Amino acid sequence: MSVDEARAWLAEVISGPDRLRLESVDGAQVVAVAGPDCLELRLDGTISGPAMFWAMDLTGFVAVTVLIGPAPAMVLAHSSISFLEPAEPGALRVTAEVIKLASRSAVVDARASDHRGCLVAASTLHFALPSRAARAALRAEHAAQASS
């Protein structure tokens, strides 16, 4: 998928197009910016952990989708996240790269930086994928709908 195709697809699957804006798509790597308005803040004024995780999870999901095409049955199967620094309020920049793509799973490395450019979180995301046959059937269905 190109960055424009990924943006159009993302607008269909999440509400509020300003929640996550795709900056670039380069092969297996996607760069996106979340917020600042949609990111929940903790009582101390920093971006909450769940808000950072949401942005990293969604950016990783987009990175896999860019490579394999839309797969509604794709789910996050496992993840680990390290919160490294408090994230100052503002936009959160997330870089996600697919580091392993297999027939039924994908592994993504994601990193989040706050508006100062400070690395605030790092995550490994494991996505379970539908079978290749199921993905091919879905692509054929979408192509048929687009041509009608």
Side-chain angles (χ1 to χ4, degrees):
M1 268 186 201
S2 69
V3 69
D4 290 331
E5 291 169 327
R7 285 177 181 145
W9 169 80
L10 186 60
E12 292 176 15
V13 298
I14 67 168
S15 62
D18 293 332
R19 293 182 72 195
L20 188 76
R21 296 174 309 283
L22 295 182
E23 281 192 347
S24 66
V25 171
D26 184 16
Q29 186 177 74
V30 169
V31 178
V33 176
D37 297 333
C38 67
L39 298 172
E40 295 176 355
L41 300 180
R42 293 182 2 192
L43 294 177
D44 66 358
T46 60
I47 298 173
S48 73
M52 286 191 277
F53 182 77
W54 168 84
M56 296 172 81
D57 174 30
L58 187 54
T59 305
F61 182 78
V62 172
V64 175
T65 300
V66 162
L67 293 178
I68 69 168
M74 179 173 42
V75 295
L76 182 64
H78 177 77
S79 67
S80 65
I81 188 166
S82 296
F83 297 106
L84 307 170
E85 295 279 340
E88 292 294 321
L92 192 66
R93 181 184 176 91
V94 180
T95 302
E97 182 176 8
V98 178
I99 56 174
K100 177 68 176 173
L101 182 61
S103 62
R104 296 299 301 266
S105 66
V107 179
V108 177
D109 177 56
R111 299 185 184 280
S113 300
D114 66 10
H115 72 90
R116 303 169 298 168
C118 181
L119 181 64
V120 294
S123 180
T124 301
L125 309 161
H126 295 246
F127 291 92
L129 307 177
S131 69
R132 288 183 180 162
R135 295 193 314 253
L138 182 62
R139 281 193 296 275
E141 181 181 322
H142 279 113
Q145 290 174 355
S147 66
S148 329

